[in-house]
Amino acid sequence: MKIKFLNKIRNNVRNFIHKNLVFLVPTLIYDNIEKITPQKLRELNVDTILLDLDNTLVPWNKKQIPNAICKYLSSLKEAGFKICIVSNALPIRVKKISEELNIPYIALAAKPSTRPLRKAIKILNSNIENTVIIGDQLFTDILAGNRLGIKTILVRPLAKFELVTSKFIRLIEKKILSYLAKKNYISSKEVKIEK
Ligand SMILES: [Mg+2]
């Protein structure tokens, strides 16, 4: 009786994961943000970019954006893209960096909530169809973007050394990504791992 019950729960959990796995599939995967060219973004029909901060633009333990990424963001702005930082980090950290870059921001965003994403799209006077979110985490950035129905780009995290909790999450993310590839979820959504 007890085993039957446990099996039922296990099957329910399994079904739930399968049904929701599609929300963890990024549109594209890149090694780092600088490799995402304006041309590629235009091919995706994108003119609006929502950016994660920690480990996408800045290594999680650092206060300053690497020069190369600063230049990259300027080039995107010059090319006419609308940009907003959407970060789960504290306002004090996000504000300082956003002001240096002269880019609007939303802090304490609570991704995977879609609310801050909608708010950012509104601030930029844009729409869901032409927006992409770029971030390093499946369970926050990619999940939030897919739930809202915008395009999603996963980048590899900038810092290799992280808190123990993040390391644990990375391990699960890695397992999910290889599972997605094995089950052809990734190729079925034309996800490319661009080097
Ligand atoms: Mg991040």
Side-chain angles (χ1 to χ4, degrees), residues 37-53:
T37 60
Q39 192 194 343
K40 191 79 208 176
L41 293 168
R42 286 195 195 104
E43 276 172 31
L44 288 175
N45 204 16
V46 155
D47 66 10
T48 304
I49 306 165
L50 310 184
L51 287 173
D52 172 52
L53 181 66

Side-chain angles (χ1 to χ4, degrees), residues 31-189:
D31 266 356
N32 64 62
I33 191 165
E34 295 156 64
K35 301 245 169 97
I36 309 170
T37 60
Q39 192 194 343
K40 191 79 208 176
L41 293 168
R42 286 195 195 104
E43 276 172 31
L44 288 175
N45 204 16
V46 155
D47 66 10
T48 304
I49 306 165
L50 310 184
L51 287 173
D52 172 52
L53 181 66
D54 281 310
N55 264 343
T56 299
L57 300 180
V58 198
W60 73 274
N61 52 353
K62 296 274 165 35
K63 283 183 182 153
Q64 282 206 315
I65 297 208
N67 260 342
I69 292 185
C70 273
K71 277 190 192 151
Y72 170 75
L73 293 178
S74 302
S75 72
L76 285 184
K77 277 201 276 183
E78 274 165 32
F81 289 96
K82 297 186 262 185
I83 306 176
C84 184
I85 291 175
V86 182
S87 170
N88 284 359
L90 295 173
I92 189 161
R93 175 170 168 81
V94 189
K95 185 172 185 255
K96 196 171 170 283
I97 296 171
S98 301
E99 280 176 356
E100 273 168 29
L101 293 167
N102 198 17
I103 290 176
Y105 71 93
I106 293 172
L108 281 179
K111 294 171 285 183
S113 165
T114 57
R115 210 168 158 190
L117 276 54
R118 278 187 271 124
K119 199 172 151 191
I121 291 171
K122 206 172 166 190
I123 290 172
L124 298 173
N125 198 17
S126 190
N127 54 59
I128 286 174
E129 291 73 33
N130 304 112
T131 302
V132 67
I133 184 166
I134 303 174
D136 70 304
Q137 287 203 303
L138 280 184
F139 295 114
T140 54
D141 311 307
I142 304 306
L143 183 55
N146 283 338
R147 285 180 66 213
L148 186 61
I150 60 174
K151 278 120 196 162
T152 54
I153 299 181
L154 181 73
V155 290
R156 314 258 177 229
L158 285 177
K160 298 268 181 295
F161 304 102
E162 293 182 285
L163 301 170
V164 177
T165 47
S166 307
K167 271 187 186 161
F168 178 67
I169 291 170
R170 294 286 173 212
L171 193 73
I172 298 175
E173 281 184 335
K174 229 172 155 183
K175 285 217 180 297
I176 289 180
L177 280 174
S178 47
Y179 180 80
L180 290 173
K182 206 173 105 191
K183 293 279 173 189
N184 285 331
Y185 270 98
I186 290 184
S187 59
S188 72
K189 260 192 95 182

